[in-house]
Amino acid sequence: MTAPAPGVRLDTLGQIALTVTDVERATAYYRDTLGLPFLFAFPGLAFFRLGDVRLMLTRPDDADPRSMASPLYFRVRDIQRAHETLAARGVAFVDAPHVVHRDDTMTLWMAFFRDPDGNLMAIMEEEDAGRGTGDEGRGANA
């Protein structure tokens, strides 16, 4: 067994996606029937707080069976550094770190990649609204 690589550790889940056929129906079920704390929604997406992990309800992207899998979203402290470190280790990212959501309390950054079987994964960083500089020039300032 090899020792983990130094630097970035992917040991905390920040979000998990659950693929559903009808996001609005599923949102009502998870919010009203199960009583999960509802956070926010976008067309085709709904988010709930499950302790330190966020649950995202979403429709499948396409007919590919892999789109029904639940992506793992790994929470990191510095997404730019994590992206650079993992890319240097051979992780093939689909995109660079970018803002996927912003509100009065936080800015959410993500960068997506695929594992060797094509399963979608992501690294994510939640930046407190008062802490960050916004996405302008963040890559140079991270």
Side-chain angles (χ1 to χ4, degrees):
M1 184 155 128
T2 61
V8 174
R9 290 179 37 169
L10 300 183
D11 62 357
T12 303
L13 283 178
Q15 178 171 292
I16 189 162
L18 181 63
T19 305
V20 298
T21 56
D22 182 329
V23 173
E24 291 73 26
R25 181 183 68 202
T27 298
Y29 177 80
Y30 283 89
R31 181 190 58 222
D32 304 335
T33 304
L34 295 182
L36 299 184
F38 178 76
L39 293 173
F40 52 89
F42 294 106
L45 301 170
F47 297 86
F48 296 86
R49 175 64 59 202
L50 301 176
D52 292 336
V53 177
R54 188 171 40 243
L55 170 65
M56 178 180 76
L57 302 180
T58 184
R59 290 186 298 258
D61 289 335
D62 52 38
D64 185 341
R66 290 178 301 185
S67 71
M68 294 297 287
S70 294
L72 299 179
Y73 296 79
F74 295 98
R75 191 179 305 274
V76 297
R77 291 181 188 249
D78 182 339
I79 196 165
Q80 294 293 337
R81 187 173 134 256
H83 180 264
E84 292 166 6
T85 301
L86 293 170
R89 291 183 196 164
V91 172
F93 279 89
V94 175
D95 53 17
H98 61 282
V99 173
V100 297
H101 175 72
R102 179 179 286 132
D103 62 25
D104 293 341
T105 62
M106 62 98 167
T107 300
L108 177 59
W109 292 80
M110 289 192 182
F112 293 89
F113 62 95
R114 293 197 180 273
D115 75 1
D117 290 311
N119 295 303
L120 190 64
M121 306 283 168
I123 53 175
M124 62 181 281
E125 178 185 1
E126 289 182 11
E127 180 179 80
D128 292 338
R131 170 175 82 96
T133 60
D135 56 352
E136 305 82 20
R138 177 163 160 73
N141 298 330

